[in-house]
Amino acid sequence: MTTAPDAQAEPRREQEEFRTYCRAWLHDNRPPPAPVRLPQHPIETMTRAQLDYLQAWQKRCYDAGLVGADYPKEYGGGGNKGFQRIANEEMNRARTPFLVNMIGLGMAAPTIYHHAQEELKRELLPGILSGEQIWCQGFSEPGSGSDLASVQASLTPDAASPGDFLLNGHKVWTSLAHFAQWMILLVRTSREHKHKGLSYYVVPVEGHRGVTVRPLIKMTGEAGFNEVLFEDTPVKEAWRLGKTGEGWNVAMTTLLHERGAGPLVTPAGGVGSEGLAHNVRGLIALAKTQRRNGRPATEDPQVRARIAALAIRERGLAENGKRARSGTLVDHPMRLPLQVKLAGTELLQDLAAAALEIEGPAASLYLSDERAPAEGQWPLAYMNSFGATIAAGTSEIQRNILGERVLGLPKS
Amino acid sequence: MSQATYGFDDDCALFRESARKFLGANADLAALRQATALDPEPMRMPTAWPSDDAFRAGAELGFVAAAVPEAQGGLQLPRAALAALAEELGRHAFPSAIESTLMVAFLARRVADSEAGGALLGHLAEGARATLAVCDAYGEWEHTASVTHTVSGSGALTLTGSTHFVQDAGKAEWLVVRSTGPDGAALVVLPRDAAGVTHRRDGIVDLTREQGTVQLEGVVAEASAVLPGGDALLASAMPDAWLLLAADMVGTSEWLLQTTVEYAKVRTQFDRAIGSYQGVKHPLVNAMMSVDRAKSLVYAAAEALDEGRDDARLLAHMAKAAATEAADFTSSRAVQLHGGIGFTWESDVHFFFKRNKHSELLFGDAAYHKARVADLLIDG
Ligand SMILES: Cc1cc2nc3c(=O)[nH]c(=O)nc-3n(C[C@H](O)[C@H](O)[C@H](O)COP(=O)(O)OP(=O)(O)OC[C@H]3O[C@@H](n4cnc5c(N)ncnc54)[C@H](O)[C@@H]3O)c2cc1C
């Protein structure tokens, strides 16, 4: 999968019309305030009340055509090209809640779209886009994180149902598994080869035989990811994506999209915890409320320099996205797309670190303390940012990939 | 209809292609090496690259005319094309007065309707070289001026003083001089061979550039040689100067990155290519990311300037700051990761390293531009 994101000429007028439509719809359909505190990011969703609210919102966006706009109609999509990016931009601008089915939209859907049999696509894609079916990703295991190809969970033939299998193994850090109906799964089907011994399946989670989901608590105090244990769990042959033994290639489609570099634009956008912006604008707003050396923090030259540096990185990242679509102003098609996740997550981390410094000792106050600046969201954002620089391939792994795939340097 | 990103359309792509071809044929690192070979007396530095023969050929290809409005005989391509040209000049460490002349063209076209502006643009369209002579001995252009003028009854100006860090002072046929007088600051167009103008070439680190100090002793200029607008005009034109320098640094840094990557693939230590070590690989990736950020900001600034948008100045500050940091990091890693050879005069790395350092410090360093970014975002 080395195609660049849609670099094609886009019919401008239709896009402008779609943008106008999205903007108006989001303006008229803003949901009521959430009855509970919302998480900062979809994969931190931990309570049923949060899920119900967010799932209802995704369904409304889907019904309005803002989710899955670029997918073909027969799979429940809008049948357009180049529209999803616009919907995403408008959802961000409107600061409506985010789309909760993130693993489904960002990883499962594009992989199913590219690798599943026709029947499976028709069956599964509409539920992902509408958010009615929550998905999770069973890649990582206790011993297989960065070295994903060392996955051990395995399939053996199911004597009771010829052609089908039984799954045994231990997945870990599985975001959203506590709500999920389905999982995308990487399993070992041969011990002869490391990479060629892997196969890729979709399996039901909720209520499925032999599946145990055990929540793990994050350093932030939130739940949101889990251990998933499989004991003789039945897996149908029809649930395989790609051929047996070619799971690694299929997983590459997932990872590429997970890191923001896939050919299909992921429906995403909006915000979490209401009213707070974890960006430079939010940082400046925070600095205006804080003091240093008896003066407003915004007068401190160190604070000003730090804000400026972050603003330049933030704008540079946005402009990278625009330049990546130019086709003519880039030398290597994957050079900019492969930077998206690495640069974006490290920027978020540095933004949050700057916020904590600006807050000073008040950064010690957390969500439960009503005196916490910005409702204690910046310390939470800082901690969560490590989830982002670790999940989906750590920053170290991203640098290896960029060095090897884009610069052509030898393997580490 | 396809939408050209940042205004970079098919004409721009052709323009860049012709710049690449031209530089492929004319930018010769071997010749640069030869021209800058060390004097047998090591501490006596070679003079800066003197010749600018290539300027005329480049001018004939429209390199300068690309920035001049059609009314004055130019092509007026989108700024993205000029950014691409500056990038190519940087990538080849090309010694020429093209960028200085372009800075003047962008300034003059803001007052193309005036007598002085129209005349100057006409000269540029015909292939004349020009440069900004606006900095004082500290490299500043916004505060006190080091050139002053008096005004006679007829409105003629008499200028005295010196202006510093004048790029291509020895090559330029026209100077745009900033001076202050009783009526405030003025930007005066002077032929470099006008009576009372002398210049002295600076001994500079960057061997691919030429710079001088211009001395003015009672130089008389007619009122018609004054560009309208004074400091406001200069302030409005500075973003173009930053844009061109930033684009040049993006090109120079890209050369340093690619050259170092190639070296890291072939140089082995401990039986492995050094590029397989993460201690080498990761900084190269960081350099790439810093170059890409700067490059995207250069194009964003170019477009905002073309469209006369409110955020054009902010983006130009961002581009110069980002390019300066990219240049600084990429240059330093290029020397370091080449090891001993990178520290020698023999390796070409030093030409690009020095060119970057020159661009980094000219017309505001990263700290200067970041401070302006903060002003605009926090107070503005
Ligand atoms: C918030 C969160 C959500 C997650 N959600 C999911 C999910 O939904 N589904 C799922 O399958 N997984 C999920 N993960 C797991 C995630 O993909 C792994 O944690 C990640 O790939 C790192 O693997 P590891 O934890 O085993 O660390 P390790 O691979 O053991 O890494 C430890 C350290 O060593 C470094 N390192 C390892 N190898 C190299 C190398 N070759 N070069 C340089 N440095 C190296 C790493 O960068 C890291 O700093 C999630 C993780 C987090 C934090």
Side-chain angles (χ1 to χ4, degrees):
Chain A
M1 300 300 313
T2 49
T3 22
D6 188 15
Q8 274 173 339
E10 295 163 347
R12 255 182 111 176
R13 194 175 48 80
E14 285 167 33
Q15 300 216 325
E16 288 310 314
E17 282 168 12
F18 183 64
R19 188 182 293 284
T20 309
Y21 161 75
C22 290
R23 203 169 286 186
W25 188 87
L26 287 163
H27 180 266
D28 297 343
N29 289 275
R30 173 169 287 283
V36 286
R37 187 195 290 281
L38 291 179
Q40 289 183 339
H41 189 269
I43 66 165
E44 325 297 356
T45 308
M46 62 177 170
T47 66
R48 182 61 65 177
Q50 289 174 329
L51 180 73
D52 288 346
Y53 176 85
L54 289 166
Q55 216 169 2
W57 171 243
Q58 179 169 336
K59 178 72 166 58
R60 283 178 61 203
C61 291
Y62 171 75
D63 290 340
L66 273 63
V67 184
D70 292 354
Y71 278 84
K73 287 209 163 85
E74 58 270 33
Y75 307 137
N80 284 299
K81 254 199 140 207
F83 274 31
Q84 189 60 54
R85 183 171 55 77
I86 292 171
N88 292 358
E89 286 168 7
E90 292 306 318
M91 286 188 276
N92 277 326
R93 181 199 300 267
R95 303 183 60 69
T96 47
F98 53 60
L99 306 174
V100 69
N101 198 17
M102 193 198 102
I103 311 247
L105 295 170
M107 286 89 115
T111 313
I112 290 167
Y113 175 71
H114 282 109
H115 298 281
Q117 303 288 345
E118 185 61 26
E119 210 179 323
L120 204 56
K121 290 194 208 183
R122 288 175 190 265
E123 180 192 335
L124 297 176
L125 286 170
I128 297 178
L129 299 175
S130 67
E132 285 156 298
Q133 305 280 311
I134 299 293
W135 282 67
C136 65
Q137 175 193 34
F139 279 18
S140 305
E141 298 178 4
S144 304
S146 298
D147 186 11
L148 180 57
S150 66
V151 151
Q152 292 301 316
S154 65
L155 293 184
T156 47
D158 182 355
S161 172
D164 295 334
F165 303 93
L166 296 175
L167 165 64
N168 283 281
H170 185 179
K171 295 290 174 181
V172 74
W173 327 124
T174 322
S175 299
L176 295 174
H178 50 303
F179 296 130
Q181 280 76 50
W182 285 90
M183 171 188 275
I184 44 175
L185 179 80
L186 204 52
V187 285
R188 186 150 295 286
T189 45
S190 151
R191 305 225 169 256
E192 312 273 293
H193 311 275
K194 188 174 178 185
H195 289 82
K196 287 188 179 154
L198 295 172
S199 299
Y200 197 119
Y201 282 83
V202 293
V203 289
V205 180
E206 195 180 65
H208 196 49
R209 195 183 86 203
V211 182
T212 309
V213 178
R214 285 201 209 125
L216 294 167
I217 305 298
K218 306 182 184 197
M219 69 182 282
T220 57
E222 293 170 304
F225 60 16
N226 310 267
E227 287 186 276
V228 184
L229 299 149
F230 298 104
E231 277 172 287
D232 289 336
T233 302
V235 171
K236 289 202 182 304
E237 174 67 13
W239 293 338
R240 200 183 60 238
L241 305 190
K243 296 203 180 95
T244 301
E246 291 183 4
W248 184 252
N249 290 339
V250 181
M252 286 304 111
T253 303
T254 311
L255 290 183
L256 211 59
H257 284 86
E258 184 168 5
R259 296 164 186 173
L264 269 165
V265 175
T266 293
V271 293
S273 333
E274 255 167 279
L276 291 157
H278 295 114
N279 53 28
V280 170
R281 211 172 47 121
L283 192 65
I284 292 173
L286 175 74
K288 286 186 169 164
T289 67
Q290 302 299 302
R291 291 179 80 82
R292 283 172 84 85
N293 304 317
R295 315 272 322 147
T298 46
E299 290 179 14
D300 182 317
Q302 307 261 25
V303 169
R304 295 174 76 85
R306 201 158 172 184
I307 289 175
L310 290 163
I312 291 168
R313 280 167 63 188
E314 185 182 72
R315 186 66 187 252
L317 201 56
E319 298 299 338
N320 272 355
K322 180 169 171 184
R323 182 159 65 88
R325 292 193 297 276
S326 76
T328 50
L329 293 169
V330 281
D331 296 334
H332 184 298
M334 289 314 282
R335 181 164 158 167
L336 294 174
L338 284 176
Q339 293 179 34
V340 171
K341 128 94 173 147
L342 174 59
T345 57
E346 291 190 343
L347 172 64
L348 186 61
Q349 196 157 85
D350 294 346
L351 268 167
L356 298 201
E357 196 174 285
I358 288 169
E359 289 184 0
S364 62
L365 304 172
Y366 202 31
L367 304 171
S368 57
D369 194 307
E370 60 194 18
R371 290 162 304 170
E375 295 169 31
Q377 291 282 332
W378 282 109
L380 177 60
Y382 180 61
M383 287 189 272
N384 268 331
S385 75
F386 287 89
T389 53
I390 292 170
T394 65
S395 293
E396 288 75 18
I397 296 297
Q398 302 303 322
R399 285 193 166 78
N400 286 349
I401 291 172
L402 277 158
E404 288 157 24
R405 298 233 344 240
V406 175
L407 294 178
L409 291 166
K411 279 210 164 303
S412 293
Chain B
M1 259 303 280
S2 92
Q3 188 185 352
T5 312
Y6 299 120
F8 196 86
D9 57 14
D10 293 348
D11 285 346
C12 297
L14 270 176
F15 179 76
R16 179 171 66 186
E17 238 359 84
S18 87
R20 276 189 180 154
K21 265 206 202 113
F22 172 81
L23 291 166
N26 290 277
D28 185 351
L29 277 179
L32 187 63
R33 257 197 310 276
Q34 209 175 5
T36 58
L38 269 181
D39 197 286
E41 167 65 58
M43 284 321 286
R44 200 163 63 219
M45 286 294 154
T47 50
W49 181 251
S51 148
D52 201 9
D53 300 340
F55 183 92
R56 196 156 304 280
E60 271 163 29
L61 285 169
F63 289 175
V64 173
V68 173
E70 286 173 11
Q72 280 80 24
L75 310 167
Q76 184 141 9
L77 291 183
R79 276 179 178 77
L82 281 310
L85 169 64
E87 219 179 293
E88 295 299 328
L89 293 169
R91 196 192 286 258
H92 291 85
F94 194 63
S96 138
I98 294 172
E99 286 166 359
S100 313
T101 306
L102 284 172
M103 289 177 196
V104 170
F106 278 119
L107 182 137
R109 76 188 225 186
R110 292 169 184 274
V111 286
D113 290 342
S114 69
E115 191 176 348
L120 182 53
L121 286 168
H123 298 311
L124 302 186
E126 281 166 17
R129 283 163 289 189
T131 190
L132 298 176
V134 297
C135 292
D136 68 11
Y138 301 98
E140 304 214 329
W141 66 93
E142 294 170 306
H143 308 291
T144 55
S146 51
V147 177
T148 53
H149 65 251
T150 55
V151 186
S152 75
S154 70
L157 277 62
T158 305
L159 293 86
T160 303
S162 55
T163 152
H164 303 261
F165 310 108
V166 180
Q167 303 306 300
D168 302 297
K171 297 169 185 166
E173 289 132 290
W174 295 92
L175 304 170
V176 174
V177 177
R178 175 176 184 270
S179 76
T180 52
D183 46 348
L187 292 176
V188 188
V189 182
L190 292 176
R192 211 214 44 220
D193 57 10
V197 176
T198 53
H199 82 280
R200 179 184 174 282
R201 175 176 288 170
D202 299 343
I204 61 174
V205 176
D206 178 4
L207 299 163
T208 71
R209 290 241 179 70
E210 198 256 287
Q211 179 181 289
T213 306
V214 174
Q215 200 80 37
L216 304 150
E217 301 277 1
V219 179
V220 179
E222 294 306 317
S224 61
V226 177
L227 295 164
D231 273 350
L233 172 62
L234 181 60
S236 73
M238 284 312 286
D240 285 309
W242 301 327
L243 177 76
L244 290 167
L245 285 169
D248 187 282
M249 284 188 273
V250 164
T252 301
S253 302
E254 185 69 34
W255 184 93
L256 285 162
L257 171 65
Q258 295 304 336
T259 302
T260 310
V261 163
E262 290 315 311
Y263 186 71
K265 287 182 196 169
V266 296
R267 177 74 176 172
T268 60
Q269 291 296 331
F270 308 101
D271 303 321
R272 288 168 63 180
I274 58 169
S276 70
Y277 293 105
Q278 289 176 339
V280 173
K281 182 178 289 174
H282 289 191
L284 287 170
V285 169
N286 290 344
M288 171 173 78
M289 292 172 74
S290 70
V291 170
D292 278 321
R293 177 189 314 138
K295 181 167 173 158
S296 297
L297 286 167
V298 161
Y299 284 95
E303 181 185 59
L305 285 162
D306 275 337
E307 294 178 353
R309 285 201 330 250
D310 288 346
D311 60 350
R313 199 170 186 84
L314 171 70
L315 280 164
H317 282 304
M318 284 183 161
K320 176 72 164 59
T324 294
E325 291 188 338
D328 179 59
F329 184 68
T330 309
S331 302
S332 98
R333 290 310 85 194
V335 172
Q336 181 70 19
L337 299 178
H338 272 79
I341 188 74
F343 191 60
T344 68
W345 196 272
E346 262 101 285
S347 158
D348 291 334
V349 166
H350 75 102
F351 291 119
F352 293 81
F353 179 99
K354 292 166 183 173
R355 183 178 177 100
N356 261 349
K357 202 42 87 183
H358 190 123
S359 309
E360 286 167 35
L361 302 173
L362 189 64
F363 292 138
D365 60 12
Y368 170 87
H369 289 284
K370 280 195 279 188
R372 299 291 85 75
V373 168
D375 294 346
L376 290 168
L377 287 179
I378 299 171
D379 319 322

